């Protein structure tokens, strides 16, 4: 790439990377925030988007120096920029898949926590059966066994 095309390509590429990274970060924060609005989703989004930025800037740098004979014209410049945008789209999709996987994990953990909280809830204070008329309280007395004239036996 001639010296006059290199700064333009890098500047345009960096603008695209930063803009796409900001879109990913802002969307990821909302996407990963649970309904209970707990903290921590911003840090996960920041880590994932940081990896996206590093990978995209690395692709930009490699594409700027690869194939030096493929330069010198406006068509080559636009072609190189198009290849970069396609590679950045692939990185964007991979980042979204990582975020989706993280959200699925959060939803699964939340479901398990809710189920555990439901299991730990206080037992029902009402009787499970209706007591016999004239019998008071929650726990009805057991009637004697008809065969042995006493309580149930094993």
């Amino acid at each position: 790439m001639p010296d006059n095309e290199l700064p333009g390509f890098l500047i345009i590429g960096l603008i695209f990377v930063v803009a796409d990274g900001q879109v990913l970060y802002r969307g990821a924060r909302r996407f990963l925030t649970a309904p209970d609005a707990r903290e921590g989703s911003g840090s996960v989004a920041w880590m994932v988007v940081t990896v996206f930025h590093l990978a995209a800037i690395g692709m930009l740098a490699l594409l700027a120096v690869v194939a030096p004979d493929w330069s010198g014209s406006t068509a080559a410049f636009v072609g190189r920029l198009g290849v970069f945008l396609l590679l950045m789209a692939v990185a964007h999709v991979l980042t979204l898949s990582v975020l989706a996987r993280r959200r699925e994990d959060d939803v699964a953990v939340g479901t398990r926590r809710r189920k555990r909280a439901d299991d730990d809830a206080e037992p029902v204070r009402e009787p499970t059966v209706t007591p016999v008329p004239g019998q008071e309280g929650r726990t009805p007395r057991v009637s004697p066994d008809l065969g042995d004239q006493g309580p149930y036996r094993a």
Side-chain angles (χ1 to χ4, degrees):
M1 182 176 284
D3 290 338
N4 60 355
E5 285 183 16
L6 184 61
F9 178 72
L10 291 176
I11 290 171
I12 291 172
L14 283 174
I15 289 171
F16 280 127
V17 169
V18 170
D20 193 27
Q22 287 300 309
V23 168
L24 278 171
Y25 177 65
R26 292 169 194 266
R29 274 192 10 220
R30 279 193 307 266
F31 186 69
L32 292 177
T33 301
D36 59 357
R38 63 185 172 83
E39 295 296 321
S41 63
S43 61
V44 172
W46 184 255
M47 286 189 299
V48 171
V49 172
T50 300
V51 171
F52 166 80
H53 277 107
L54 292 174
I57 291 172
M59 284 188 312
L60 178 67
L62 285 175
L63 200 56
V65 297
V66 169
D69 56 333
W70 190 44
S71 61
S73 70
T74 305
F77 180 78
V78 171
R80 199 178 285 253
L81 194 59
V83 169
F84 172 70
L85 290 175
L86 288 174
L87 290 173
M88 200 166 79
V90 170
H92 188 96
V93 168
L94 291 174
T95 304
L96 288 178
S97 68
V98 168
L99 291 172
R101 173 69 180 184
R102 176 69 181 164
R103 177 158 177 150
E104 287 174 6
D105 292 345
D106 286 348
V107 168
V109 167
T111 303
R112 279 185 287 206
R113 282 184 186 154
R114 269 184 264 124
K115 183 174 179 173
R116 195 174 307 132
D118 291 344
D119 292 344
D120 293 343
E122 284 189 35
V124 178
R125 297 277 181 200
E126 299 172 6
T128 55
V129 295
T130 306
V132 177
Q135 186 175 5
E136 301 292 326
R138 271 181 52 84
T139 53
R141 284 168 275 171
V142 177
S143 64
D145 187 354
L146 295 177
D148 294 328
Q149 300 295 325
Y152 295 110
R153 296 173 196 192

